[in-house]
Amino acid sequence: MMDASQQATNWVATEPTNTAGTWITKPVLVLLALIALLALYATYLNQVYYSRQGPFYDSMSYTTQLAKVMGTVRAQDMKAALRVAIGGQTVFFPWLEGALLALFVNPVREQSVLIQLPLVLAQALGSYYFFRRIARYPQAVCVCFAMVTVSFLAVFRVNGGLSDLRLDLSQALAFGAAVAFLSVARVTQRLRDWLIFGVILGVAFLFRATTPVYAVLLCGVAAVIDFILYRSEFKPRLARYFVGGGVALAISGWFYVVNFAYLRYYYLVWNYDANARLPLSQSVYHLRFLVSQHLGKPICLLMVFVFLTQLYSRHASRQSFRSGLNWLPMLAGLLPLCFLVLFGAALNPYVSMVAVPGALLFGLAPYAASTETVWSRRRTVSYVVAGAVAVLVAVPVAIDTHSRAASPYTPTMDGLTQLTNAIHHDLQMRNRDLVKFDVAYAGGLDSVAVVNSLVFEQGYVYDITTRSTRDGLAIMASEMRGPGLLANPIQWNALPGATGQDKIHTLAAGTLKDADYLIVPENSTHLQPGLPSTPYAFAYRDLLTSSPGVTRVVGPIRISPMESVSVYWNEHAH
């Protein structure tokens, strides 16, 4: 028998009382304060990086699209901006956020954090609810572990972290929040929880077009398991899945109908990563990314610690190791990885990030609570301390990584600013309402990088017309090709011409008709190996710069440690 003092220091896992009214509590307010600190830290990291380095893919394309949506709101109206946000896209919700932000502010780089903040909140609050309702952890542990689910290693990375705007993290957070609420909804069977799950899942579908694949896999397997476990009451349970799925489709289904042709082309034709078909011996490395790139060793050790302590607790209380297993988040961590491995997806280290929240929810709460579960103050303190240490280890490391370039080819802010300043000042001296430019090689610099810097560093407005305008000056990328043509094998092979030499002659003829400014590599540039156009880059440059009417404006400009460029004016364009 425990005396009163022992009972006061132990937390016995029983059904929480008044769960419908416990959202705004002191622990939740503490959690919100910690999330605010995380957002401020990510904003600081964004400023540290862009004080020295320039933009890079994939965030460069996303922030440029965000600026385009916001610029269209300010230059035209919300209706035009939504047309930009919807058409030919693999995502929608970030652009909707940007359109609303544009009613109040201009585009700035720090908005990358703000765009993702609602997902951080959803993941953290969903995780808190999961730990409180399913694992029945003490409130201090719930707050700590909820922060762990939004503070894993990948969150602090310069490429793909919260300070960046690469939507793999957004997909992971949105999908993770949906998994947390699905786990709770399966237990409570309350309509409210299923509706919340459906809303969050619908938003997740609008943050990344591959999310429905993982959601269908997870819900399909979960429904089969529910049929096995609850055969006598399966029909009402299945109806709840349809409720959640119906809400998600009502929110996001229109987007997939409107963009079906583009999504089909993007994922089934253009996208190399999705169509790599790697052998199993190579694709299995997606599993390694989960640990080394996303979770990090400290959080993996935390998960091992939690698992071992709970195994010991179950052994001491003579509970079965199989009963109460939280298999749903475990599946949410395993199924995306299995899909990537079995379909031979290219070894893009970011696409497996979607598995992180499921792995974390399971690793931090491998078992649902039972009436035999007894919490001591010692265990509570050990979990909170271990969780805090696991997160705080990554904090100082992030400052160091954000002080360096994302890759040796990433443009420096100094080099990129020199380039856009040179174009801006030269354009001021020419009596032209509109000029076009072309970056005539594949590297860290391309047309998107130039537009991105014109917007965020030079104060240009980029809108639905694809023009960047400032003080009556208008600049736009050449219409001859997109930035991926010289780098993407599929687009390169589609160019007219039997050989590479034929292809660059075709490109040069079109570019000289269309582009006023030609940005070409200097001989000192170390071209990126493995790209289809790399063997022909200098020959293509020479074709352009030796043409009549092409004169040097400025150069060389050192864009990055690997690249130097010059800018030429082509007087015969148009």
Side-chain angles (χ1 to χ4, degrees):
M1 295 288 293
M2 292 188 296
D3 60 27
S5 62
Q6 287 177 302
Q7 292 181 12
T9 57
N10 287 345
W11 190 86
V12 182
T14 57
E15 179 76 16
T17 60
N18 192 27
T19 55
T22 55
W23 274 107
I24 306 301
T25 62
K26 288 183 180 179
V28 170
L29 292 176
V30 171
L31 179 60
L32 294 176
L34 291 173
I35 292 170
L37 290 175
L38 175 63
L40 290 173
Y41 183 57
T43 301
Y44 168 72
L45 293 176
N46 179 282
Q47 294 170 345
V48 167
Y49 180 82
Y50 284 107
S51 66
R52 301 180 182 179
Q53 308 299 333
F56 54 91
Y57 282 108
D58 284 354
S59 62
M60 181 167 65
S61 60
Y62 290 130
T63 54
T64 303
Q65 174 66 10
L66 181 66
K68 185 177 182 181
V69 171
M70 297 180 71
T72 302
V73 171
R74 302 183 76 82
Q76 297 191 27
D77 54 31
M78 181 65 72
K79 185 177 180 180
L82 292 178
R83 288 202 303 272
V84 174
I86 293 170
Q89 299 293 324
T90 61
V91 302
F92 170 73
F93 205 87
W95 317 145
L96 175 61
E97 293 179 274
L100 296 175
L101 282 173
L103 297 173
F104 308 100
V105 294
N106 290 319
V108 293
R109 294 201 179 277
E110 292 85 351
Q111 285 160 354
S112 296
V113 179
L114 190 59
I115 290 295
Q116 300 174 90
L117 188 56
L119 301 179
V120 176
L121 286 167
Q123 173 69 82
L125 292 173
S127 299
Y128 178 87
Y129 194 28
F130 171 85
F131 293 129
R132 191 76 174 129
R133 184 61 183 81
I134 303 298
R136 310 249 182 95
Y137 285 164
Q139 291 176 332
V141 176
C142 292
V143 170
C144 181
F145 282 4
M147 282 304 300
V148 172
T149 65
V150 294
S151 305
F152 46 92
L153 177 63
V155 171
F156 298 106
R157 285 194 175 277
V158 64
N159 191 343
L162 186 57
S163 64
D164 194 23
L165 186 61
R166 188 183 181 110
L167 295 183
D168 303 277
L169 177 61
S170 300
Q171 179 188 39
L173 294 172
F175 185 65
V179 169
F181 279 102
L182 175 60
S183 299
V184 173
R186 282 189 62 261
V187 172
T188 66
Q189 286 298 304
R190 289 188 301 212
L191 181 60
R192 183 194 70 177
D193 292 329
W194 283 101
L195 291 175
I196 294 174
F197 159 67
V199 169
I200 294 176
L201 188 63
V203 172
F205 287 175
L206 294 175
F207 260 97
R208 202 58 181 270
T210 55
T211 307
V213 175
Y214 304 124
V216 169
L217 278 174
L218 178 62
C219 291
V221 174
V224 170
I225 295 175
D226 278 350
F227 175 74
I228 296 171
L229 295 177
Y230 308 104
R231 187 167 303 185
S232 62
E233 51 184 278
F234 178 66
K235 286 186 178 181
R237 284 181 170 271
L238 183 61
R240 298 295 194 185
Y241 280 100
F242 281 108
V243 168
V247 171
L249 286 177
I251 292 172
S252 63
W254 61 270
F255 175 78
Y256 292 85
V257 174
V258 171
N259 286 288
F260 178 79
Y262 178 77
L263 293 172
R264 182 180 180 279
Y265 169 76
Y266 181 86
Y267 286 111
L268 300 183
V269 179
W270 182 86
N271 193 295
Y272 168 76
D273 290 346
N275 298 284
R277 302 293 187 267
L278 296 181
L280 191 63
S281 59
Q282 296 180 35
S283 63
V284 73
Y285 280 91
H286 282 290
L287 302 175
R288 178 181 294 181
F289 292 147
L290 179 68
V291 175
S292 62
Q293 300 284 329
H294 305 326
L295 291 170
K297 290 181 180 179
I299 286 183
C300 287
L301 290 174
L302 170 66
M303 294 162 65
V304 170
F305 170 67
V306 170
F307 192 68
L308 291 177
T309 58
Q310 298 204 10
L311 284 181
Y312 175 78
S313 177
R314 283 185 163 258
H315 173 73
S317 60
R318 298 183 178 180
Q319 297 180 70
S320 169
F321 295 142
R322 291 178 295 179
S323 66
L325 191 70
N326 276 328
W327 53 265
L328 185 66
M330 179 180 69
L331 288 176
L334 286 176
L335 289 176
L337 291 175
C338 291
F339 178 85
L340 294 169
V341 170
L342 294 177
F343 276 80
L347 295 179
N348 179 331
Y350 304 99
V351 294
S352 55
M353 202 182 298
V354 67
V356 169
L360 279 171
L361 290 173
F362 175 73
L364 298 175
Y367 290 100
S370 67
T371 54
E372 289 81 14
T373 305
V374 177
W375 275 85
S376 66
R377 185 181 297 273
R378 178 179 298 177
R379 182 189 288 190
T380 298
V381 172
S382 67
Y383 275 19
V384 170
V385 170
V389 169
V391 169
L392 291 174
V393 165
V395 171
V397 176
I399 296 176
D400 178 61
T401 58
H402 280 74
S403 301
R404 302 191 301 267
S407 97
Y409 289 93
T410 300
T412 64
M413 188 56 70
D414 181 60
L416 198 53
T417 302
Q418 284 186 53
L419 175 65
T420 53
N421 272 337
I423 294 175
H424 176 74
H425 293 317
D426 186 73
L427 180 57
Q428 286 179 313
M429 295 186 296
R430 301 182 186 274
N431 188 24
R432 296 286 295 273
D433 295 330
L434 171 67
V435 296
K436 298 180 181 180
F437 71 91
D438 184 80
V439 180
Y441 73 105
L445 179 72
D446 67 6
S447 61
V448 180
V450 174
V451 171
N452 192 278
S453 184
L454 286 172
V455 171
F456 290 104
E457 276 70 59
Q458 300 291 347
Y460 278 70
V461 176
Y462 184 50
D463 62 21
I464 192 172
T465 65
T466 70
R467 299 178 180 183
S468 302
T469 58
R470 172 187 163 189
D471 301 330
L473 305 177
I475 305 174
M476 66 185 299
S478 169
E479 297 172 354
M480 291 305 301
R481 63 180 182 85
L485 188 148
L486 295 177
N488 186 286
I490 296 172
Q491 291 179 269
W492 174 259
N493 292 334
L495 275 173
T499 66
Q501 290 293 337
D502 295 336
K503 293 178 187 296
I504 63 172
H505 276 83
T506 301
L507 273 176
T511 299
L512 289 168
K513 290 180 181 178
D514 192 62
D516 301 283
Y517 288 108
L518 306 173
I519 302 171
V520 299
E522 287 289 315
N523 288 332
S524 59
T525 291
H526 298 275
L527 297 166
Q528 293 191 27
L531 302 181
S533 63
T534 291
Y536 313 100
F538 292 123
Y540 180 44
R541 174 202 63 188
D542 294 340
L543 279 174
L544 296 174
T545 57
S546 62
S547 298
V550 175
T551 56
R552 185 191 293 264
V553 174
V554 66
I557 298 173
R558 189 171 180 81
I559 293 295
S560 73
M562 307 299 285
E563 299 176 13
S564 294
V565 301
S566 289
V567 181
Y568 284 75
W569 173 257
N570 172 26
E571 66 181 33
H572 296 311
H574 314 298

